[in-house]
Amino acid sequence: MVEVDDGTASSGGEGTREAVVGEAALLLHAVATRARPPAMIHPFMRVATPATGVHFPFALLRLTGGGDVVELHVIGIDNGQTIPSQYAFCISDPDTHATFAANRNPALVWDDAPEGTESFVVLCWDRTVPTVGDDVNREGREVPSDLPRTDFFHWVLVDIPGDAVDLDEGEFSQDVTPRGKDAADGPRDTRQGLNDYTGWFAGDADMEGLYFGYDGPCPPWNDSLVHEYVFAVYALDIERCPVSGDFTGSDVREAIELHVLAEASVLGRYTLNPRLIDEA
């Protein structure tokens, strides 16, 4: 049974910053107009000005199963409401459509894990990514709302100790890192899987790399749908998640299927489409 509180709803100085902005601007046209295969349509935008951190109320979602209850709080994200910009990969820009954002992971807090919990897994995915990229980031067009959609993983984290009760804001990501945060070993002896920016940037001479850990929302700036992001925590009956190598979110989903004692999730919404920003 599910019970849902478902609200309706850089250190290089100016020279370095200018160089980064210039390089990113050169990438914008190539990346925004390049076709992508199905299930891997996701935008890349340019420029970077970290957003200021703001405290927001937490969201709560509770899932019960067999009498066990887990409560998940995502600090700064009300369930069903807009994700604050400091947790995004990109923010809207009136001149360039989008710019880099602070890209900090939000803080997660959970409690009431069931007896027998040996570890936790955290996943975050966009469940609203277009499977056809013909209109993605094209001037004068909008991605139709009736396109089939697919999942795009933004955070894959396993082997969180069974006595853990939280993850700190910015602990796993504090900015946009070109070529990815190449660190499979995370804080507190966790392991970080590959998020789907790895596939998105494949073949890009300037951005290709292994994107471990958290990288936040950056939906197409002309999508007619507000994108929906699921933050989920899973309590497992095993100490180590049975995945190895450069594993993905899909790998983790399959591996933990028979080991989940309880789970909880929070839904956040995000858009770069100026027409929809007030609706997010």
Side-chain angles (χ1 to χ4, degrees):
M1 180 179 76
V2 180
E3 303 172 30
V4 182
D5 177 8
D6 186 21
T8 55
S10 303
S11 60
E14 289 302 317
T16 300
R17 181 178 297 275
E18 290 175 4
V20 170
V21 169
E23 291 173 4
L26 292 175
L27 291 173
L28 176 62
H29 177 75
V31 176
T33 58
R34 185 169 63 241
R36 287 290 178 185
M40 197 52 66
I41 305 304
H42 211 274
F44 165 70
M45 298 301 161
R46 71 161 195 91
V47 175
T49 303
T52 5
V54 181
H55 178 71
F56 293 80
F58 61 74
L60 168 64
L61 212 152
R62 176 179 295 178
L63 185 147
T64 64
D68 294 324
V69 178
V70 173
E71 292 184 351
L72 172 64
H73 309 250
V74 181
I75 309 302
I77 302 175
D78 281 330
N79 189 55
Q81 301 301 310
T82 301
I83 296 173
S85 60
Q86 66 263 33
Y87 306 133
F89 195 92
C90 297
I91 56 176
S92 182
D93 183 273
D95 298 319
T96 61
H97 296 298
T99 71
F100 283 151
N103 199 39
R104 295 172 63 84
N105 70 272
L108 274 61
V109 180
W110 59 86
D111 54 24
D112 293 333
E115 184 178 354
T117 297
E118 296 291 333
S119 69
F120 296 93
V121 160
V122 165
L123 298 176
C124 173
W125 65 92
D126 178 355
R127 67 183 191 183
T128 331
V129 174
T131 56
V132 179
D134 296 348
D135 297 315
V136 168
N137 297 334
R138 300 292 197 269
E139 295 287 352
R141 303 186 192 179
E142 193 167 84
V143 179
S145 61
D146 60 356
L147 272 182
R149 304 288 168 144
T150 191
D151 291 345
F152 183 104
F153 284 96
H154 286 264
W155 199 0
V156 183
L157 183 66
V158 305
D159 298 350
I160 303 167
D163 59 355
V165 295
D166 61 12
L167 302 176
D168 294 333
E169 178 177 333
E171 184 176 5
F172 295 85
S173 179
Q174 297 192 21
D175 52 27
V176 173
T177 305
R179 300 188 181 279
K181 293 181 282 291
D182 191 1
D185 295 328
R188 308 192 218 174
D189 296 323
T190 60
R191 289 185 292 149
Q192 302 186 115
L194 294 173
N195 68 53
D196 282 336
Y197 283 109
T198 301
W200 165 246
F201 288 123
D204 187 302
D206 296 285
M207 295 296 292
E208 181 175 31
L210 300 178
Y211 284 74
F212 289 98
Y214 178 84
D215 284 299
C218 188
W221 50 259
N222 65 338
D223 202 334
S224 59
L225 291 183
V226 175
H227 281 226
E228 297 179 337
Y229 299 82
V230 180
F231 293 84
V233 62
Y234 303 85
L236 305 185
D237 62 2
I238 49 176
E239 185 174 350
R240 183 176 175 85
C241 183
V243 290
S244 59
D246 294 337
F247 56 87
T248 67
S250 296
D251 294 333
V252 171
R253 274 182 177 166
E254 182 177 357
I256 68 174
E257 186 175 3
L258 300 179
H259 297 285
V260 177
L261 297 174
E263 62 186 273
S265 63
V266 167
L267 178 72
R269 292 158 52 85
Y270 196 76
T271 183
L272 295 175
N273 187 334
R275 183 175 67 80
L276 302 176
I277 284 177
D278 291 340
E279 302 177 16

